[in-house]
Amino acid sequence: MTAERPVPTQEDVLGYFDTLSNWGRWGDDDELGTLNHIIDDVRLAAARAVRHGRSVSCAWEVAVPGEMERSTTACPCAADMPGAENMPPAFHADRRWGFSSERLSLSFHGNTVTHLDSPCHIFWDGVMYNGRSHALVDAATGSAWAAVTAAANGIVTRGVLLDVARARDVPSWEPGQVVFPEDLEEAERRQGVRVGSGDAVLLRTGRGRVRHEGGTAGGVTQAGWHASCLPWLHERQVALIGADTPQDVQPSGYDDVLMPVHAVSLVAMGLWLLDNCDLEACATTAADLGQWDFQLAVAPIRLAGTSGSPVNPIATF
């Protein structure tokens, strides 16, 4: 038991696929899921949350070469490069300028890179959000359903940082420590903020502080949302959730649902996820200003058919 609510059983969590389902809520052809909660009035309210004009990144810098394959070419004199013979004559006259260019290969899903998960990222019993078959994902062309390009217009809404580490007066939560709805509400109470419809909720457990201090970003044990937070997020009509971990507490506590937050959020609710945020600058800024809500802007790369995108979420206070 928690202080307020019983911990859901595994059968309860499996039942969330039905009781928290948004299938058909916005039409049978809907691919946006909970992003539908971000209506025009919500975006206008997000703009009004900008009261100081200060912006901070909520993303980790992608390490080179540790987290990507990278090939960089430096060209000191562009006219000497192959293909220059096809350039206009003026190109050959300028012998002083050069350029650099890159070829990058990045696997962004996992425990380190800050990225957005779209609903096609997870299947349950072979099915994606809104009842579409996993067969719509093709090895050559990617997903024909609920890919990250569904959010091509960007995600701009009010962000709310729930700093559960600060609420407990600890530097960071321990690996495997569970975040319950009561912890979210305690953070709301201490910060003087309330999560509402269309909001993006960013959960800070302090894992970013550990990473900045040289701790590992890998491993399979981590603090994070407990499955019991899912009805809370559904009731509040949250549009997007992020965390400084890959979301789910690990271990989840359920033998047959290893990642209930990922599975129920993406498949049943159509709730998009921001994994592996760096929320340290955001938390410091929020504490300095005494302001725990802000405008959040997330612009995924328009990669056709992909199940997500590396992103740099920007919080503007």
Side-chain angles (χ1 to χ4, degrees), residues 180-253:
F180 289 111
E182 291 72 32
D183 300 303
L184 307 178
E185 291 168 1
E186 177 63 11
E188 284 185 317
R189 186 189 68 79
R190 292 187 57 160
Q191 296 170 189
V193 69
R194 180 176 172 83
V195 172
S197 179
D199 285 346
V201 180
L202 303 183
L203 178 71
R204 178 181 177 267
T205 68
R207 178 175 181 257
R209 176 172 178 163
V210 174
R211 284 186 65 176
H212 279 292
E213 292 174 351
T216 178
V220 295
T221 303
Q222 65 200 27
W225 310 89
H226 187 262
S228 58
C229 294
L230 291 165
W232 190 94
L233 295 166
H234 185 71
E235 291 164 8
R236 297 292 186 96
Q237 297 188 335
V238 169
L240 172 74
I241 63 171
D244 56 5
T245 71
Q247 312 294 350
D248 290 80
V249 65
Q250 290 294 325
S252 70

Side-chain angles (χ1 to χ4, degrees), residues 29 80 114 140 156 166 186 188:
D29 293 328
D80 291 339
T114 305
V156 179
R166 181 182 177 89
E186 177 63 11
E188 284 185 317

Side-chain angles (χ1 to χ4, degrees), residues 30-31 109 117-123 126-129 131-150 266 272 302-308:
D30 174 61
E31 299 176 70
H109 286 301
D117 287 345
S118 73
C120 73
H121 178 47
I122 296 292
F123 316 138
V127 178
M128 294 184 279
Y129 171 67
R132 295 307 200 274
S133 170
H134 77 287
L136 289 172
V137 179
D138 179 78
T141 60
S143 181
W145 182 255
V148 76
T149 45
L266 292 170
W272 296 54
R302 297 181 70 172
L303 299 169
T306 63
S307 58

